[in-house]
Amino acid sequence: MKAEFIAVVNKLEEGRSLDKKEYRLLIESACDETFDFIREKAIKVRGKIYGRGVYIRGLIEISNICKNNCLYCGIRKDNGLCQRYRLSDEEILLCCKEGYDLGFRTFVLQGGEDPFFTDDRLCGIIGQIKSRFSNCAVTLSLGERSTESYERLFKAGADRYLLRHETADKSHYERLHPSDMSFENRIKCLYELKSIGYQVGCGFMVGSPYQNSDTLAADLKFIETFEPDMCGIGPFIPHRDTPFGEMPAGSVFLTCYLLSIIRLIKPNILLPATTALSTLDKNGREKGILSGANVVMPNLSPESVRGKYELYNGKAHSGAESAQLVKELCRSMEKIGHSVLTERGDIKK
Ligand code: 5AD
């Protein structure tokens, strides 16, 4: 290992901050040896704060109807081959009930930007979840909405919001999204969510088309300065019915390497081992946890719609990806020396 690399890692450990050039050096140095070096430090800082516990979140995919046309995404508006669905209030509450009985204390309502889910409707759903399961956290992952909407949903009881920034480089953002979406608005939404009081998650895909070490360095710098409570990263996986259908998938290795770096930037961050990671590698979840992740998000959506929320081809939704198999998940975490925690799992400050 080069002395320069070690010096930069030490600087990150001590000050939790690097300039973009230094982040680029870390990214460009990725190999087995540097990964082991960084990973060990990442696991150590995580251990001091969270021990060996892994938080679980029940993911409920409430709608795959979306008004946007993100070039990478399988549920983009123009994908006429996607079978659309949305869940009713009753179905969503049933998922929560089932999840609650399985031990979940966080429900993540995720969906495309579906105009059917108005503020009134969502406030009603959130209110019901919070009154029936008052010791649970509600996380929303419903894309870009107005300030007023974010405020109303927060007042209704939502605790957290996930909105991946997708890339912190404006020109890269514009190559991944159609011209009616804006980088500025994406970032504005994130800052707004934070100032309203949500615990906020950002994130990006690893290996998205046109990504390079510069754009990745910008992502890391963004995470450092924005200080999210959560950060979702997973490999890009092409979906055949999108403009990026022929693009190569991202790397499991680089995803894990970046998980370790993000843990070092923000030791107390909540970092999921994502479904995309498990989709590309049957041991992806374990690898993610062993790289510094401390959250997993099994799927609580009704069996009948699960295959339809296909952001990318082959999306895993059975086995330990399915919330019904919490026991299997516990076993797999125990095998690698970790234990599943059934508590809300807020960020430790
Ligand atoms: N591969 C991997 N991740 C994807 N997402 C969307 N499409 C893909 C894909 N093809 C991610 C985006 C989005 C999140 C819900 O899923 O980052 O924010």
Side-chain angles (χ1 to χ4, degrees):
M1 257 181 312
K2 287 206 186 116
E4 196 189 5
F5 171 81
I6 296 177
V8 170
V9 176
N10 288 339
K11 180 177 172 190
L12 178 59
E13 247 192 322
E14 277 153 30
R16 307 289 168 210
S17 170
L18 295 176
D19 61 33
K20 271 195 201 166
K21 225 174 96 239
E22 293 165 325
Y23 280 126
R24 230 184 54 208
L25 180 116
L26 293 188
I27 293 155
E28 289 172 356
S29 304
C31 68
D32 290 342
E33 196 189 12
T34 54
F35 178 41
D36 283 345
F37 184 74
I38 291 194
R39 189 169 71 118
E40 199 176 306
K41 292 176 183 295
I43 287 171
K44 210 174 268 170
V45 280
R46 179 192 58 191
K48 280 190 194 152
I49 302 168
Y50 293 106
R52 295 198 143 244
V54 173
Y55 295 121
I56 53 172
R57 321 297 195 197
L59 185 62
I60 306 170
E61 294 157 337
I62 66 172
S63 169
N64 70 352
I65 298 173
C66 190
K67 65 174 163 57
N68 291 332
N69 247 325
C70 306
L71 276 70
Y72 45 83
C73 185
I75 65 167
R76 67 201 303 270
K77 178 178 69 185
D78 285 355
N79 181 8
L81 296 170
C82 173
Q83 274 190 55
R84 307 288 172 171
Y85 75 88
R86 52 171 74 101
L87 301 183
S88 66
D89 296 15
E90 294 70 34
E91 286 174 304
I92 295 170
L93 283 160
L94 219 57
C95 291
C96 295
K97 166 84 177 74
E98 195 177 348
Y100 192 89
D101 293 338
L102 289 163
F104 289 88
R105 295 296 176 267
T106 291
F107 304 115
V108 182
L109 308 187
Q110 185 168 80
E113 292 190 17
D114 179 356
F116 174 80
F117 284 96
T118 58
D119 296 341
D120 284 338
R121 180 175 298 277
L122 286 168
C123 286
I125 297 168
I126 296 164
Q128 289 196 59
I129 297 176
K130 292 299 266 194
S131 73
R132 304 231 318 240
F133 312 100
S134 59
N135 58 343
C136 294
V138 170
T139 304
L140 303 178
S141 178
L142 300 167
E144 297 174 30
R145 304 178 70 94
S146 68
T147 315
E148 187 206 342
S149 169
Y150 287 148
E151 278 165 353
R152 284 193 58 195
L153 302 176
F154 186 73
K155 281 208 189 94
D159 303 275
R160 311 182 186 136
Y161 205 103
L162 306 176
L163 182 70
R164 290 190 174 181
H165 64 285
E166 310 296 357
T167 169
D169 180 291
K170 180 173 154 68
S171 58
H172 184 211
Y173 188 93
E174 288 168 355
R175 298 180 84 175
L176 301 179
H177 301 94
S179 57
D180 62 350
M181 291 180 72
S182 103
F183 175 69
E184 285 78 11
N185 195 58
R186 194 81 177 173
I187 302 296
K188 176 175 149 266
C189 286
L190 281 163
Y191 278 97
E192 246 166 42
L193 287 162
K194 204 174 185 185
S195 80
I196 291 168
Y198 286 95
Q199 295 172 46
V200 182
C202 65
F204 59 93
M205 294 175 286
V206 178
S208 63
Y210 317 113
Q211 184 176 71
N212 56 40
S213 56
D214 271 317
T215 65
L216 279 173
D219 289 318
L220 296 177
K221 193 66 190 171
F222 176 70
I223 291 164
E224 178 200 309
T225 52
F226 179 63
E227 301 187 77
D229 301 289
M230 300 152 306
C231 182
I233 70 164
F236 163 74
I237 303 171
H239 186 296
R240 69 178 87 80
D241 306 313
T242 65
F244 290 163
E246 303 295 322
M247 296 286 192
S251 128
V252 170
F253 174 78
L254 186 58
T255 304
C256 291
Y257 186 76
L258 289 164
L259 284 170
S260 296
I261 297 178
I262 294 168
R263 174 65 62 198
L264 286 182
I265 296 173
K266 202 166 185 304
N268 67 343
I269 200 166
L270 294 163
L271 207 50
T274 53
T275 307
L277 199 56
S278 306
T279 299
L280 281 193
D281 184 327
K282 68 180 191 331
N283 300 316
R285 172 183 280 158
E286 288 82 358
K287 287 184 182 174
I289 298 296
L290 291 171
S291 306
N294 65 334
V295 173
V296 292
M297 302 171 70
N299 200 315
L300 268 183
S301 307
E303 203 72 60
S304 58
V305 304
R306 245 182 238 176
K308 296 179 185 159
Y309 200 84
E310 200 182 37
L311 304 179
Y312 41 83
N313 290 134
K315 179 163 165 277
H317 53 82
S318 57
E321 276 312 319
S322 146
Q324 282 64 28
L325 292 152
V326 185
K327 284 221 179 76
E328 187 177 322
L329 175 64
C330 292
R331 265 197 301 277
S332 92
M333 291 294 110
E334 266 153 32
K335 259 196 196 153
I336 57 168
H338 288 259
S339 55
V340 168
L341 302 174
T342 53
E343 44 192 84
R344 269 179 58 125
D346 291 292
I347 188 167
K348 294 200 177 163
K349 296 252 177 171

